[in-house]
Amino acid sequence: MSTETANTDESNESGAAQRNRRKVREGIVTSVAMDKTAVVSVTERVRHPRYFKTVQRTKKLYAHDAASDARPGDRVRVMETRPISKTKRWRLIEIVERAR
């Protein structure tokens, strides 16, 4: 039995092993002052560990916007990617909703 499990483990590690899924976040564009970069504010609601109250946490993500078509106020979807620059680790996938 141990030889069978070893063989299946090796087969999973060789070609069948799948890469981890990349993180996808949705947020609001706050700035497009840089070239081909959009600053996206992502807000998440978490429960406080001691007081159990829901708290909002906002994180600024620097996203690569190759076409530079995002505008401040747009709701966008970004995906985690390899480091593009010193601070950019996200890529703009789509504009979900345009700013009014």
Side-chain angles (χ1 to χ4, degrees), residues 69-83:
D69 56 353
R71 295 192 295 259
D74 290 351
R75 180 175 293 281
V76 296
R77 190 167 287 131
V78 293
M79 176 190 283
E80 190 179 37
T81 185
R82 64 181 174 81

Side-chain angles (χ1 to χ4, degrees), residues 19-36:
R19 193 167 66 177
N20 287 338
R21 304 301 297 166
R22 295 181 182 220
K23 295 175 192 159
V24 176
R25 301 281 183 266
E26 198 169 299
I28 307 286
V29 176
T30 55
S31 172
V32 289
M34 294 172 275
D35 188 36
K36 295 185 180 181

Side-chain angles (χ1 to χ4, degrees), residues 85-97:
S85 71
K86 180 181 173 183
T87 54
K88 269 201 287 191
R89 273 96 171 107
W90 297 82
R91 182 177 67 231
L92 188 101
I93 301 173
E94 66 173 321
I95 297 172
V96 178
E97 183 183 347

Side-chain angles (χ1 to χ4, degrees), residues 14-54:
S14 60
Q18 204 175 32
R19 193 167 66 177
N20 287 338
R21 304 301 297 166
R22 295 181 182 220
K23 295 175 192 159
V24 176
R25 301 281 183 266
E26 198 169 299
I28 307 286
V29 176
T30 55
S31 172
V32 289
M34 294 172 275
D35 188 36
K36 295 185 180 181
T37 303
V39 181
V40 180
S41 291
V42 177
T43 304
E44 68 171 338
R45 298 170 71 95
V46 294
R47 189 168 213 107
H48 192 279
R50 173 176 282 175
Y51 302 115
F52 304 112
K53 182 178 170 142
T54 306

